Amino acid sequence: MTLLTEIEPTGALQKVAALDEVNTFVFDMDGTLLNDEHVISPQNLRALHGLRERGFNLVIATGRHVRDMQYHLQQLGGDIATITCNGANIHDRNGKLIYREGLPLLVNQTLLPLAAQFNVNLNMFTDSEWLTIAPCAAMLEAHDQTQFFYRQVDLQEMIATPALKILFYGENAELQKLKAQILKDHPLDINLTFSDDCYLEVMQQNISKGYALKILLEKLSLSVDKAMAFGDGLNDVELFRTVAHPVVMENAGTTLKQLFPDAQRAPKNHPDGVATFLFDYIL
């Protein structure tokens, strides 16, 4: 395996597109725009306000639920389009739903009972709620500021409920075994991705941040060739393949860095790597 070396700042500066080549900036949330305390730092807020003052288009692309985003959108001043649930929902800058793609109940019936065979926590995002089978305090920490919390239900209610995405939370080794079993024994039209080591997420086939961005930008008469995207997780792979200017956070895992060795690098999300990159090379 070849070890990738870090891109020096001068190299990054030479590679960053001229401002007239970028008109849209797309940001993942956890591990990217949010720091390790799950908040947008003052510096990141200042940087995004700076982009808006210069007339750039801003897009949030996250695995979080749109209800989970309302607090942060208010922080940022609103008027920002959102791609949520890894692309299952798209809302325009006025908050109007312009795209939705959920999972068929067959996926619920097939996959949800598997959680009991592994030591993982079973969750689901519906159009309006976060559902879980069992309480998990560790999952709530990332939502203290937004106050978007789960409602506990039994397995049968969850199986009967239409979902935007399914989330399995647990140790990576268990999730990897679960993923392998799903791929081996249950051929379904789904997209399986890790948003981080502890979250295995299930969406409808072809649903991704990248696919959703294409839909959104087409509606806005904007081009992916003039889009720059920041991210740190494997659920950002399709997004990075879609935009002309991907930026990988330094805290991203080895796999993502190896998939995009020529992408720009931003410093770690904590305390505010996005702002550092933007002030150094864009603003």
Side-chain angles (χ1 to χ4, degrees), residues 98-111:
I98 59 175
Y99 181 85
R100 178 196 181 280
E101 186 68 45
L103 288 160
L105 290 179
L106 174 63
V107 174
N108 292 8
Q109 296 160 3
T110 305
L111 298 189

Side-chain angles (χ1 to χ4, degrees), residues 153-225:
V153 298
D154 60 34
L155 179 61
Q156 292 309 310
E157 180 178 346
M158 188 177 283
I159 287 175
T161 303
L164 293 173
K165 77 170 186 177
I166 295 167
L167 305 84
F168 298 100
Y169 174 81
E171 295 294 328
N172 186 257
E174 287 293 298
L175 294 174
Q176 292 288 357
K177 289 188 286 187
L178 172 59
K179 180 182 178 181
Q181 181 166 326
I182 291 172
L183 293 175
K184 177 178 179 290
D185 298 335
H186 304 285
L188 297 166
D189 293 332
I190 56 174
N191 179 13
L192 277 171
T193 187
F194 282 92
S195 57
D196 71 22
D197 286 347
C198 296
Y199 284 94
L200 176 63
E201 308 193 0
V202 185
M203 290 75 60
Q204 180 67 307
Q205 188 179 43
N206 298 325
I207 291 301
S208 69
K209 294 180 183 181
Y211 179 70
L213 185 66
K214 289 179 184 178
I215 293 173
L216 175 63
L217 294 189
E218 183 176 347
K219 288 182 178 292
L220 297 175
S221 299
L222 297 170
S223 172
V224 294
D225 293 333

